[in-house]
Amino acid sequence: MNTAYVYLQLYRLFDDITPVQVDCGRLCGKACCKGDDSGMFLFPGEKEVFNLLCPDWIKIDKTDFTYRFDNKTYTAPIAMCAGSCDRYQRPLACRIFPLTPYLNEKGELEIIIDPRGKGICPMAKAFYLEDFDSAFVRNVKKAFTLLSKNRQVYAFLKEYSKYIDEFRRFY
């Protein structure tokens, strides 16, 4: 499977759909796009997109976040930017922020508000999932329903959900 192609197709789900009907960046001064020391995880296989596109505004770094798949340990890469980007070349995590995929205790996919966003995003802090544009939420669910069928992505999401649980304890 050509994972870069899959991600490029999934990116299109978010070309014209955003979390709310207005420019949410005006609420917070584009806090999620400041380009500071934070970044967004790349999902399994997504790094291939950036190997193809080679955008000069993004830096891919290693993290200490690991997950197991097929008896191997993988390290999740993180995408770091300088605070500006080509909107159509953003990683999937940027496109879906402040939502994130999550596997519940039964291993079922849910879409939740990312607890890591509560410190910077007014929507993550004050909104319920129902407050977001329904088409946006539907597309996030659609993207991760497809991606989670891939065994490696599912393994990533299992460990990622445990990571998210650590943040949920504080929010």
Side-chain angles (χ1 to χ4, degrees):
M1 173 172 76
N2 183 337
T3 56
Y5 177 78
V6 171
Y7 280 104
L8 289 169
Q9 295 306 307
L10 292 175
Y11 290 175
R12 294 177 66 196
L13 291 173
F14 304 98
D15 282 353
D16 300 316
I17 294 179
T18 56
V20 291
Q21 295 287 323
V22 297
D23 179 0
C24 62
R26 293 180 64 181
L27 297 171
C28 62
K30 299 182 180 185
C32 62
C33 294
K34 293 289 188 204
D36 53 14
D37 291 342
S38 61
M40 295 295 215
F41 284 126
L42 297 179
F43 295 99
E46 190 176 13
K47 184 178 176 187
E48 298 309 312
V49 171
F50 300 97
N51 290 343
L52 287 172
L53 299 177
C54 302
D56 60 357
W57 52 266
I58 198 168
K59 178 182 169 197
I60 309 295
D61 256 336
K62 291 185 178 185
T63 65
D64 59 359
F65 178 80
T66 61
Y67 64 99
R68 301 268 309 152
F69 173 69
D70 275 355
N71 297 317
K72 295 180 195 167
T73 300
Y74 292 86
T75 301
I78 193 167
M80 311 283 284
C81 76
S84 63
C85 69
D86 178 338
R87 177 173 174 76
Y88 297 101
Q89 293 182 346
R90 293 172 301 153
L92 188 56
C94 291
R95 293 165 190 265
I96 67 169
F97 187 81
L99 303 184
T100 195
Y102 178 81
L103 296 179
N104 65 26
E105 62 279 345
K106 295 179 183 176
E108 300 164 333
L109 177 68
E110 295 179 11
I111 303 303
I112 64 169
I113 297 171
D114 193 331
R116 298 169 298 170
K118 292 186 185 278
I120 61 165
C121 177
M123 294 185 306
K125 191 180 306 179
F127 278 26
Y128 293 101
L129 196 59
E130 303 81 41
D131 297 324
F132 290 92
D133 181 271
S134 61
F136 177 75
V137 176
R138 201 169 35 253
N139 281 1
V140 175
K141 180 79 170 191
K142 187 185 300 183
F144 284 95
T145 296
L146 174 72
L147 284 172
S148 66
K149 291 180 187 302
N150 177 287
R151 292 183 317 116
Q152 186 169 0
V153 173
Y154 189 85
F156 170 90
L157 289 176
K158 270 178 70 172
E159 195 62 33
Y160 176 77
S161 297
K162 292 176 192 172
Y163 173 79
I164 292 296
D165 283 339
E166 292 298 313
F167 290 90
R168 289 178 93 178
R169 292 182 327 154
F170 297 104
Y171 295 101

